[in-house]
Amino acid sequence: MAKSTRSASNLPIDVAHMKSSDRLPGRTDLKRGAVFKRLRILFLLVVLLMVSLITWQDRYRSTRWREPLFVAVYPIAADDSPVTRAYMEALDAEGFKSIDDFFTREARRYHLHIDEPVKTRLRGELKERPPERRTDGGILATAFWSLRLRYWSWRVSGNVREPEDIRMFVLFHDPALTPVVPHSLGLTKGLIGVVYAFASAAMSGANNVVIAHELLHTLGASDKYDPASDAPRFPDGYGDPQQIPLYPQSTAEVMAGRRMLSATQWEQAQSLDETVIGPSTALEIRWPQHAE
Ligand SMILES: [Zn+2]
């Protein structure tokens, strides 16, 4: 106790000494500067190494498929509209059950040795919104934003006993105020999804398709549509590329998110009932390769 008091009382003197600016930098200062620079680089390297190790471990654990993945769904009101408020108040766990059912049904089709691969859990509403990504930012800005998002996610979530393998932050918008929402995203780094959804009962099925899509991104699945036109890519973006006749497709591949109606027309999947996990997505998330 006495020791710590003494060192605390010494501190202001040391600081005052270090701050004295009336000296010219000597050899020792220059040497010290070089040492600090090296230490700073070393520290950054250690942080980067730790982040990549955690990412690698997340990827390994999330795609082992031995025990269920707990997916925490955090609802967030994206605007102050009474429509959004009413929708938020009415949200219940049952509304996300179709996501669990979708993964159970598809896992069975692929003979995965687990009955319930995904268990969604509805968490309490968050009053904070995640940090926004600047669309004009370069690679460095994106990397920095991704770190900020991971930190933000860690800070606002996890106040529960149950594990949270994946965190999905779902921002609900009044469709009358925001008819077109930004692109949702799912990051393998940090196992985080940010979903822009609509506060409308008629669109809750389509919202769940987007949640499942972004959830699969966090597990390493890639998009199966043409970004220029949004058209599902043939063959891996089709629900069943071997269907005869080919059109209209009776299902949509979840990573394409749209169902082909004819060779030139497609529509957004309205619910997970009309959506499947195709073989190429299954391969990316390390599911066995023999679907029925
Ligand atoms: Zn996507």
Side-chain angles (χ1 to χ4, degrees), residues 241-273:
Q242 275 149 21
Q243 184 187 292
I244 299 168
L246 194 54
Y247 306 109
Q249 283 278 307
S250 54
T251 53
E253 206 285 335
V254 64
M255 297 314 289
R258 295 155 191 96
R259 187 168 64 91
M260 291 303 284
L261 303 175
S262 71
T264 52
Q265 286 173 298
W266 49 90
E267 70 170 16
Q268 194 86 32
Q270 295 307 307
S271 88
L272 283 164
D273 291 343

Side-chain angles (χ1 to χ4, degrees), residues 28-48:
T28 0
D29 289 330
L30 288 176
K31 251 191 194 166
R32 210 176 278 163
V35 169
F36 269 128
K37 201 174 169 189
R38 276 194 200 150
L39 274 178
R40 216 167 53 200
I41 293 173
L42 186 72
F43 174 74
L44 277 175
L45 280 176
V46 169
V47 169
L48 274 178

Side-chain angles (χ1 to χ4, degrees), residues 184 213-214 217 222-223 225 255:
S184 300
H213 176 107
E214 302 306 334
H217 270 317
S222 64
D223 281 323
Y225 63 87
M255 297 314 289

Side-chain angles (χ1 to χ4, degrees), residues 123-135:
R123 299 281 188 245
E125 182 185 343
L126 286 184
K127 296 292 177 189
E128 265 184 69
R129 290 171 206 171
E132 268 174 49
R133 179 196 202 162
R134 272 181 40 204
T135 40

